[in-house]
Coordinates of all heavy atoms in Angstrom, one line a residue:
Chain B
L385 N 5.0 -23.7 12.9 CA 5.0 -25.0 13.6 C 4.9 -24.8 15.1 O 4.1 -25.5 15.8 CB 6.2 -25.8 13.2 CG 6.2 -26.4 11.8 CD1 7.6 -27.0 11.5 CD2 5.1 -27.4 11.6
A386 N 5.7 -23.9 15.6 CA 5.7 -23.7 17.1 C 4.3 -23.2 17.5 O 3.7 -23.7 18.5 CB 6.7 -22.6 17.4
F387 N 3.6 -22.4 16.7 CA 2.3 -21.9 17.0 C 1.3 -23.1 17.1 O 0.6 -23.3 18.1 CB 1.8 -20.9 15.9 CG 0.4 -20.5 16.0 CD1 0.2 -19.4 16.9 CD2 -0.6 -21.0 15.3 CE1 -1.1 -18.9 17.1 CE2 -1.9 -20.6 15.5 CZ -2.2 -19.5 16.3
F388 N 1.3 -24.0 16.1 CA 0.4 -25.1 16.2 C 0.8 -26.0 17.3 O -0.1 -26.6 18.0 CB 0.4 -25.8 14.8 CG -0.4 -25.1 13.8 CD1 0.2 -24.5 12.7 CD2 -1.8 -25.0 13.9 CE1 -0.6 -23.8 11.8 CE2 -2.6 -24.3 13.0 CZ -1.9 -23.7 11.9
G389 N 2.1 -26.2 17.5 CA 2.5 -27.0 18.6 C 2.0 -26.5 20.0 O 1.4 -27.3 20.8
I390 N 2.1 -25.2 20.2 CA 1.6 -24.6 21.4 C 0.1 -24.7 21.6 O -0.4 -25.1 22.6 CB 2.1 -23.2 21.5 CG1 3.6 -23.2 21.8 CG2 1.4 -22.4 22.7 CD1 4.3 -21.8 21.7
M391 N -0.6 -24.5 20.5 CA -2.1 -24.6 20.6 C -2.5 -26.1 20.8 O -3.4 -26.3 21.5 CB -2.7 -24.1 19.3 CG -2.5 -22.6 19.0 SD -2.9 -21.6 20.5 CE -1.5 -20.4 20.4
Y392 N -1.7 -27.0 20.2 CA -2.0 -28.4 20.4 C -1.8 -28.7 21.9 O -2.6 -29.4 22.5 CB -1.1 -29.3 19.6 CG -1.2 -30.7 19.8 CD1 -2.3 -31.4 19.3 CD2 -0.3 -31.4 20.6 CE1 -2.5 -32.8 19.6 CE2 -0.5 -32.8 20.8 CZ -1.6 -33.4 20.3 OH -1.8 -34.8 20.6
L393 N -0.7 -28.2 22.5 CA -0.4 -28.5 23.9 C -1.5 -27.9 24.8 O -1.9 -28.5 25.7 CB 0.9 -27.8 24.3 CG 2.2 -28.6 23.9 CD1 3.4 -27.9 24.4 CD2 2.1 -30.0 24.6
L394 N -2.0 -26.7 24.4 CA -3.1 -26.1 25.1 C -4.3 -27.0 25.2 O -4.8 -27.3 26.3 CB -3.4 -24.8 24.5 CG -4.4 -23.8 25.2 CD1 -4.0 -22.4 24.8 CD2 -5.8 -24.0 24.8
F395 N -4.6 -27.6 24.0 CA -5.8 -28.5 24.0 C -5.5 -29.8 24.8 O -6.3 -30.3 25.5 CB -6.2 -28.8 22.6 CG -7.3 -27.9 22.2 CD1 -7.0 -26.6 21.8 CD2 -8.6 -28.3 22.5 CE1 -8.1 -25.8 21.5 CE2 -9.6 -27.4 22.2 CZ -9.4 -26.1 21.7
Q396 N -4.3 -30.3 24.5 CA -3.9 -31.6 25.2 C -4.0 -31.4 26.7 O -4.5 -32.3 27.4 CB -2.5 -31.9 24.8 CG -2.2 -33.4 24.8 CD -3.2 -34.2 24.1 OE1 -3.7 -33.8 23.0 NE2 -3.7 -35.3 24.7
S397 N -3.6 -30.2 27.2 CA -3.6 -30.0 28.6 C -5.0 -30.0 29.2 O -5.2 -30.4 30.3 CB -2.8 -28.7 28.9 OG -3.5 -27.7 28.4
I398 N -5.9 -29.6 28.4 CA -7.3 -29.6 28.9 C -7.7 -31.0 29.1 O -8.4 -31.4 30.1 CB -8.3 -28.9 27.9 CG1 -7.9 -27.5 27.7 CG2 -9.7 -29.0 28.4 CD1 -8.6 -26.8 26.6
F399 N -7.3 -31.9 28.2 CA -7.7 -33.3 28.4 C -6.9 -34.0 29.5 O -7.4 -34.8 30.2 CB -7.6 -34.0 27.0 CG -8.6 -33.6 26.1 CD1 -8.3 -32.8 25.0 CD2 -10.0 -34.0 26.3 CE1 -9.3 -32.3 24.1 CE2 -10.9 -33.5 25.4 CZ -10.6 -32.7 24.3
T400 N -5.6 -33.7 29.5 CA -4.8 -34.4 30.5 C -4.9 -33.8 31.9 O -4.8 -34.6 32.9 CB -3.3 -34.4 30.1 OG1 -2.9 -33.1 29.8 CG2 -3.0 -35.3 28.9
W401 N -5.2 -32.5 32.0 CA -5.3 -32.0 33.4 C -6.7 -31.8 33.8 O -7.1 -32.1 34.9 CB -4.6 -30.6 33.5 CG -3.1 -30.7 33.2 CD1 -2.3 -31.8 33.1 CD2 -2.3 -29.6 33.0 NE1 -1.1 -31.4 32.9 CE2 -1.0 -30.1 32.8 CE3 -2.4 -28.2 33.0 CZ2 0.1 -29.3 32.6 CZ3 -1.3 -27.4 32.8 CH2 -0.1 -27.9 32.6
A402 N -7.5 -31.2 32.9 CA -8.9 -30.9 33.3 C -9.8 -32.1 33.4 O -10.6 -32.2 34.3 CB -9.5 -29.8 32.4
A403 N -9.6 -33.0 32.4 CA -10.5 -34.1 32.3 C -10.5 -35.0 33.6 O -11.5 -35.3 34.2 CB -10.3 -35.0 31.1
P404 N -9.3 -35.3 34.1 CA -9.3 -36.1 35.4 C -9.9 -35.3 36.5 O -10.6 -35.9 37.3 CB -7.8 -36.4 35.6 CG -7.1 -36.1 34.3 CD -7.9 -35.2 33.6
A405 N -9.6 -34.0 36.5 CA -10.2 -33.2 37.6 C -11.7 -33.2 37.5 O -12.4 -33.2 38.5 CB -9.6 -31.8 37.6
M406 N -12.2 -33.1 36.2 CA -13.7 -33.1 36.1 C -14.3 -34.5 36.5 O -15.3 -34.5 37.2 CB -14.0 -32.9 34.6 CG -13.8 -31.4 34.2 SD -13.8 -31.2 32.4 CE -15.5 -30.8 32.1
D407 N -13.6 -35.6 36.2 CA -14.0 -36.9 36.7 C -14.0 -36.9 38.2 O -14.9 -37.4 38.8 CB -13.1 -38.0 36.1 CG -13.3 -38.1 34.6 OD1 -14.3 -37.6 34.1 OD2 -12.4 -38.7 34.0
A408 N -12.9 -36.3 38.8 CA -12.8 -36.3 40.2 C -14.0 -35.6 40.9 O -14.5 -36.0 41.9 CB -11.5 -35.7 40.6
V409 N -14.3 -34.4 40.3 CA -15.4 -33.6 40.8 C -16.7 -34.5 40.8 O -17.5 -34.5 41.8 CB -15.6 -32.3 40.1 CG1 -16.9 -31.6 40.4 CG2 -14.5 -31.4 40.3
E410 N -16.9 -35.1 39.7 CA -18.1 -36.0 39.5 C -18.1 -37.1 40.6 O -19.1 -37.3 41.2 CB -18.2 -36.6 38.1 CG -19.0 -35.7 37.2 CD -19.1 -36.4 35.8 OE1 -18.4 -37.3 35.5 OE2 -20.0 -35.9 35.0
A411 N -17.0 -37.8 40.7 CA -16.9 -38.9 41.6 C -17.1 -38.4 43.0 O -17.8 -39.0 43.8 CB -15.5 -39.6 41.5
L412 N -16.5 -37.2 43.4 CA -16.6 -36.7 44.7 C -18.1 -36.4 45.0 O -18.6 -36.7 46.1 CB -15.8 -35.4 44.8 CG -15.6 -34.9 46.2 CD1 -14.6 -35.8 47.0 CD2 -15.1 -33.5 46.2
L413 N -18.7 -35.7 44.0 CA -20.1 -35.3 44.3 C -21.0 -36.6 44.4 O -21.9 -36.7 45.2 CB -20.7 -34.5 43.1 CG -20.2 -33.0 43.1 CD1 -20.5 -32.3 41.8 CD2 -20.8 -32.3 44.3
G414 N -20.7 -37.6 43.6 CA -21.4 -38.9 43.6 C -21.3 -39.5 45.0 O -22.2 -39.9 45.6
A415 N -20.0 -39.6 45.5 CA -19.8 -40.2 46.8 C -20.5 -39.4 47.9 O -21.1 -40.0 48.8 CB -18.3 -40.2 47.1
L416 N -20.4 -38.1 47.8 CA -21.0 -37.2 48.8 C -22.5 -37.5 48.8 O -23.2 -37.6 49.8 CB -20.7 -35.8 48.5 CG -20.6 -34.8 49.6 CD1 -19.4 -35.3 50.5 CD2 -20.3 -33.4 49.1
S417 N -23.0 -37.5 47.6 CA -24.5 -37.7 47.4 C -24.9 -39.0 48.0 O -26.0 -39.2 48.7 CB -24.8 -37.6 46.0 OG -26.0 -38.3 45.7
N418 N -24.1 -40.1 47.9 CA -24.4 -41.4 48.4 C -24.4 -41.4 49.9 O -25.1 -42.2 50.6 CB -23.4 -42.5 47.9 CG -23.7 -42.8 46.5 OD1 -24.8 -42.6 46.0 ND2 -22.7 -43.4 45.8
I419 N -23.6 -40.5 50.5 CA -23.6 -40.4 52.0 C -24.8 -39.6 52.5 O -25.5 -40.0 53.4 CB -22.3 -39.8 52.5 CG1 -21.1 -40.7 52.0 CG2 -22.3 -39.7 54.0 CD1 -19.8 -40.1 52.3
V420 N -24.9 -38.4 51.8 CA -25.9 -37.4 52.3 C -27.3 -37.9 52.1 O -28.2 -37.8 53.0 CB -25.6 -36.0 51.7 CG1 -26.7 -35.1 52.1 CG2 -24.3 -35.5 52.1
V421 N -27.6 -38.2 50.8 CA -29.0 -38.4 50.4 C -29.8 -39.5 51.3 O -30.9 -39.2 51.8 CB -29.1 -38.8 48.9 CG1 -30.5 -39.2 48.5 CG2 -28.6 -37.6 48.1
P422 N -29.2 -40.7 51.5 CA -29.9 -41.7 52.3 C -30.2 -41.2 53.7 O -31.1 -41.7 54.4 CB -29.0 -42.9 52.3 CG -28.1 -42.7 51.2 CD -27.9 -41.2 51.1
A423 N -29.4 -40.2 54.2 CA -29.6 -39.8 55.6 C -30.7 -38.8 55.8 O -31.1 -38.5 56.9 CB -28.3 -39.1 56.1
I424 N -31.3 -38.4 54.6 CA -32.4 -37.4 54.7 C -33.7 -38.1 54.9 O -34.1 -39.0 54.1 CB -32.4 -36.5 53.5 CG1 -31.1 -35.8 53.4 CG2 -33.6 -35.5 53.5 CD1 -31.0 -35.0 52.1
P425 N -34.5 -37.9 56.0 CA -35.7 -38.6 56.3 C -36.8 -38.3 55.3 O -37.5 -39.2 54.8 CB -36.0 -38.2 57.7 CG -35.3 -36.9 57.9 CD -34.2 -36.9 57.0
N426 N -37.0 -37.1 55.0 CA -38.1 -36.7 54.2 C -37.9 -37.0 52.7 O -36.9 -36.7 52.1 CB -38.3 -35.1 54.3 CG -39.5 -34.6 53.5 OD1 -39.4 -34.7 52.3 ND2 -40.5 -34.2 54.2
Q427 N -38.9 -37.7 52.1 CA -38.8 -38.2 50.7 C -38.5 -37.0 49.7 O -37.6 -37.1 48.9 CB -40.1 -38.9 50.3 CG -40.2 -39.2 48.8 CD -39.4 -40.4 48.5 OE1 -39.2 -41.3 49.3 NE2 -38.9 -40.5 47.2
M428 N -39.3 -35.9 49.9 CA -39.2 -34.9 48.9 C -37.8 -34.2 49.0 O -37.2 -33.9 48.1 CB -40.3 -33.8 49.1 CG -40.4 -33.0 47.8 SD -41.5 -31.6 47.7 CE -42.5 -31.5 49.0
A429 N -37.4 -33.9 50.3 CA -36.1 -33.3 50.5 C -35.0 -34.2 50.0 O -34.0 -33.7 49.4 CB -35.9 -33.1 52.0
R430 N -35.2 -35.5 50.1 CA -34.2 -36.4 49.6 C -34.1 -36.3 48.1 O -33.0 -36.2 47.5 CB -34.6 -37.8 50.0 CG -33.5 -38.8 49.9 CD -33.6 -40.0 50.8 NE -34.8 -40.8 50.4 CZ -35.7 -41.2 51.3 NH1 -35.5 -41.1 52.6 NH2 -36.8 -41.9 50.9
D431 N -35.3 -36.3 47.4 CA -35.3 -36.2 46.0 C -34.7 -34.9 45.5 O -33.9 -34.8 44.5 CB -36.7 -36.3 45.4 CG -37.2 -37.7 45.6 OD1 -36.4 -38.7 45.8 OD2 -38.4 -37.9 45.5
F432 N -35.0 -33.8 46.2 CA -34.5 -32.5 45.9 C -33.0 -32.5 46.0 O -32.3 -32.0 45.1 CB -35.1 -31.4 46.8 CG -34.6 -30.1 46.5 CD1 -35.1 -29.3 45.4 CD2 -33.6 -29.5 47.3 CE1 -34.6 -28.1 45.1 CE2 -33.1 -28.2 47.0 CZ -33.6 -27.5 45.9
T433 N -32.5 -33.0 47.1 CA -31.0 -33.0 47.3 C -30.3 -33.9 46.2 O -29.3 -33.4 45.6 CB -30.7 -33.6 48.7 OG1 -31.5 -33.0 49.6 CG2 -29.2 -33.3 49.1
A434 N -30.9 -35.0 45.9 CA -30.3 -35.9 44.9 C -30.3 -35.3 43.5 O -29.3 -35.2 42.8 CB -30.9 -37.3 44.9
D435 N -31.5 -34.8 43.1 CA -31.6 -34.4 41.7 C -31.3 -33.0 41.5 O -30.7 -32.6 40.5 CB -33.1 -34.7 41.3 CG -33.4 -36.2 41.3 OD1 -32.4 -37.0 41.2 OD2 -34.5 -36.6 41.5
A436 N -31.7 -32.1 42.4 CA -31.5 -30.7 42.1 C -30.1 -30.3 42.6 O -29.3 -29.7 41.8 CB -32.5 -29.8 42.8
I437 N -29.7 -30.6 43.8 CA -28.4 -30.2 44.3 C -27.3 -31.0 43.7 O -26.5 -30.4 43.0 CB -28.4 -30.4 45.9 CG1 -29.6 -29.7 46.6 CG2 -27.0 -29.9 46.4 CD1 -29.4 -28.3 47.0
F438 N -27.3 -32.3 43.9 CA -26.1 -33.0 43.4 C -26.1 -33.2 41.9 O -25.0 -32.9 41.3 CB -26.1 -34.4 44.1 CG -25.5 -34.3 45.5 CD1 -26.3 -34.4 46.6 CD2 -24.2 -34.0 45.7 CE1 -25.8 -34.2 47.9 CE2 -23.6 -33.9 47.0 CZ -24.5 -34.0 48.1
S439 N -27.2 -33.5 41.3 CA -27.1 -33.7 39.8 C -27.1 -32.4 39.1 O -26.3 -32.1 38.2 CB -28.2 -34.6 39.3 OG -28.2 -35.8 40.0
G440 N -28.0 -31.5 39.5 CA -28.1 -30.2 38.8 C -26.9 -29.3 39.0 O -26.2 -28.9 38.0
I441 N -26.5 -29.1 40.2 CA -25.4 -28.2 40.5 C -24.1 -28.9 40.0 O -23.2 -28.3 39.6 CB -25.3 -27.8 42.0 CG1 -26.6 -27.2 42.4 CG2 -24.2 -26.9 42.3 CD1 -26.9 -25.9 41.8
G442 N -24.1 -30.3 40.1 CA -23.0 -31.0 39.7 C -22.7 -30.8 38.2 O -21.5 -30.6 37.8
A443 N -23.7 -30.8 37.4 CA -23.6 -30.6 36.0 C -22.9 -29.2 35.7 O -22.2 -29.1 34.7 CB -24.9 -30.6 35.3
F444 N -23.0 -28.3 36.6 CA -22.4 -27.0 36.5 C -21.0 -27.0 37.1 O -20.0 -26.5 36.5 CB -23.3 -26.0 37.1 CG -22.7 -24.8 37.7 CD1 -22.4 -23.7 36.9 CD2 -22.5 -24.6 39.1 CE1 -21.9 -22.5 37.4 CE2 -22.0 -23.5 39.6 CZ -21.7 -22.4 38.7
L445 N -20.8 -27.7 38.2 CA -19.5 -27.6 38.9 C -18.4 -28.4 38.1 O -17.3 -28.1 38.2 CB -19.6 -28.2 40.3 CG -20.2 -27.3 41.3 CD1 -20.2 -28.0 42.7 CD2 -19.5 -26.0 41.4

Side-chain angles (χ1 to χ4, degrees):
Chain B
L385 286 175
F387 176 82
F388 283 110
I390 289 171
M391 296 311 140
Y392 176 76
L393 281 181
L394 189 148
F395 262 86
Q396 206 50 41
S397 63
I398 298 171
F399 290 104
T400 49
W401 298 349
M406 288 166 89
D407 293 343
V409 169
E410 265 182 348
L412 192 74
L413 285 171
L416 212 61
S417 154
N418 284 341
I419 300 171
V420 174
V421 172
I424 300 173
N426 178 295
Q427 168 79 32
M428 198 188 349
R430 195 158 61 224
D431 290 343
F432 178 79
T433 313
D435 297 333
I437 307 270
F438 280 105
S439 302
I441 305 295
F444 151 81
L445 284 181

